[in-house]
Amino acid sequence: MFRNALGKTFRFLGYTVQYGCIAHCAFEYLGGVVVCSGPSMEPTIQNSDIVFSENLSRHFYCIRKGDIVIAKSPNDPKSNICKRVIGLEGDKVCTSNPSDFLKSHSYVPKGHVWLEGDNLRNSTDSRCYGPVPYGLIRGRICFKIWPLNDFGFLRASPNGHRFLDD
Amino acid sequence: KNFWPDSSLIFFCHLHLVHIYKLVPCGCNVLLFTIFCLHSVPGYHRSLFPLPWELESVIKLSHPSRSPRNPEQKIIKRVIALEGDIIKTIGYKKKYVKVPHGHIWVEGDHHGHSFDSNAFGPVSLGLLHARATHILWPPKRWQKLQPILPPERKPLQREQE
């Protein structure tokens, strides 16, 4: 009787561990659901929106200009940032704010990306901490799940003028 | 009804979780040949897994200037300075550098032949992967990697806790 219960417990633990492993690997390599906080990506992503991010693009190097990505914060490894890719390595980007009179430009160094939030007036991004190493990117946001009235693929950048085409 | 997942999927998941202790072949001429890495998983209690970026230890990190088109490249360096420390650089564009918040300064043991922070600057902590603990191969180089630092590479000023 006792042995039966013990056997069942171990089997249950075995299932839990196996599914825990699979879940961990799924989040690591495939993607997961993310709750966003902060105003820096408005109006595309509002505070407390729930989005789905996929990690395959990062592993297969398919991150494109205009994608919204989740990356580890360059100044705090324990927190994540959610920004839009404005320039890839070698691209020319505008490093000054839209309100500045004199515009300054630079090229994104090798192995880095230039990230900016959609809410340019209220976003700390690459204009503040410089280009971000590609290795810090965790995944690409592809789909918004909540709120339901905004369900679907994410809109293009409202700041098209920030993308400089050579 | 069988709830058991496919056995190949289980094997792959176990292989991934053996990231905890990982044998890493390293071909760089900086320090060593093959090392035994302790992967510190963020979020775990500090007493269970030591932080991978303790001062003067040897660490493994993603190449900061790795082009996304190149395969994932990892480099092995030694931690020289943590955030807030001021150090004197060798061949960097600035002679004295204060390591910014959330970054560390890494150098290879063989100065002059090392592509390290003296080339690409302070490294963000998010790029760290693991800490190298032992050399396993070749057998005559079997040793535990000591966290030591030559005195001339010590930071000029260390930030007090």
Side-chain angles (χ1 to χ4, degrees):
Chain A
M1 183 70 177
F2 176 69
R3 204 182 274 173
N4 209 9
L6 202 64
K8 276 190 183 162
T9 312
F10 277 122
R11 254 200 310 279
F12 173 74
L13 281 173
Y15 286 137
T16 313
V17 167
Q18 302 288 2
Y19 281 107
C21 295
I22 294 175
H24 170 82
C25 287
F27 286 131
E28 172 80 17
Y29 290 109
L30 296 177
V33 175
V34 177
V35 180
C36 298
S37 65
S40 63
M41 282 299 292
E42 286 175 3
T44 316
I45 300 178
Q46 318 271 357
N47 193 25
S48 304
D49 278 359
I50 302 179
V51 296
F52 182 78
S53 80
E54 52 94 1
N55 298 342
L56 289 171
S57 298
R58 165 186 155 236
H59 287 296
F60 291 117
Y61 319 114
C62 297
I63 303 281
R64 301 263 174 269
K65 207 152 71 167
D67 283 346
I68 303 179
V69 295
I70 292 190
K72 281 195 208 174
S73 169
N75 295 333
D76 179 14
K78 292 191 174 63
S79 64
N80 293 329
I81 57 172
C82 170
K83 305 285 175 214
R84 200 182 284 270
V85 175
I86 302 294
L88 299 170
E89 66 180 15
D91 288 348
K92 187 177 179 189
V93 288
C94 185
T95 54
S96 56
N97 291 319
S99 53
D100 291 349
F101 183 68
L102 289 169
K103 307 270 177 227
S104 59
H105 299 96
S106 68
Y107 289 92
V108 181
K110 186 165 176 262
H112 292 69
V113 294
W114 188 269
L115 302 177
E116 282 181 8
D118 283 352
N119 190 359
L120 286 172
R121 281 198 211 102
N122 196 0
S123 165
T124 51
D125 43 40
S126 285
R127 292 170 296 160
C128 175
Y129 41 68
V132 175
Y134 187 87
L136 289 178
I137 294 181
R138 312 288 305 281
R140 184 180 70 100
I141 296 185
C142 49
F143 211 79
K144 194 193 282 200
I145 302 174
W146 189 268
L148 288 172
N149 60 357
D150 210 8
F151 186 90
F153 290 105
L154 293 152
R155 280 163 266 163
S157 173
N159 305 313
H161 57 274
R162 299 296 290 178
F163 295 92
L164 301 174
D165 296 311
D166 296 301
Chain B
K1 217 171 162 188
N2 192 15
F3 287 97
W4 206 252
D6 188 52
S7 54
S8 53
L9 188 60
I10 299 172
F11 177 71
F12 168 72
C13 296
H14 284 160
L15 206 63
H16 168 81
L17 285 168
V18 175
H19 263 183
I20 302 293
Y21 283 99
K22 189 159 69 170
L23 282 163
V24 174
C26 165
C28 57
N29 62 352
V30 169
L31 297 172
L32 35 82
F33 202 76
T34 302
I35 55 174
F36 194 61
C37 281
L38 179 68
H39 189 283
S40 172
V41 181
Y44 275 77
H45 194 262
R46 193 181 172 142
S47 59
L48 277 177
F49 293 95
L51 289 173
W53 60 83
E54 270 157 15
L55 202 61
E56 296 154 14
S57 58
V58 177
I59 57 157
K60 170 175 159 256
L61 62 156
S62 287
H63 199 292
S65 309
R66 176 183 68 87
S67 173
R69 286 187 292 273
N70 293 338
E72 178 86 34
Q73 199 183 343
K74 306 278 199 299
I75 55 176
I76 312 276
K77 299 291 168 211
R78 193 180 289 275
V79 178
I80 301 294
L82 301 177
E83 64 189 17
D85 297 346
I86 299 178
I87 55 148
K88 188 171 176 196
T89 66
I90 306 172
Y92 188 55
K93 55 186 180 189
K94 288 197 290 191
K95 192 143 188 240
Y96 295 98
V97 167
K98 180 170 182 181
V99 181
H101 185 66
H103 289 68
I104 53 170
W105 188 270
V106 296
E107 283 180 5
D109 283 353
H110 194 182
H111 299 299
H113 283 83
S114 177
F115 187 61
D116 52 25
S117 280
N118 288 312
F120 46 69
V123 172
S124 179
L125 277 172
L127 291 173
L128 253 73
H129 276 257
R131 185 169 68 156
T133 55
H134 296 78
I135 299 179
L136 296 183
W137 190 269
K140 67 174 188 278
R141 289 180 48 78
W142 184 291
Q143 61 185 277
K144 185 175 193 303
L145 289 166
Q146 300 295 341
I148 49 164
L149 201 59
E152 67 266 14
R153 294 311 302 150
K154 279 206 182 340
L156 300 171
Q157 181 184 310
R158 183 147 299 167
E159 181 159 289
Q160 302 303 320
E161 292 280 324

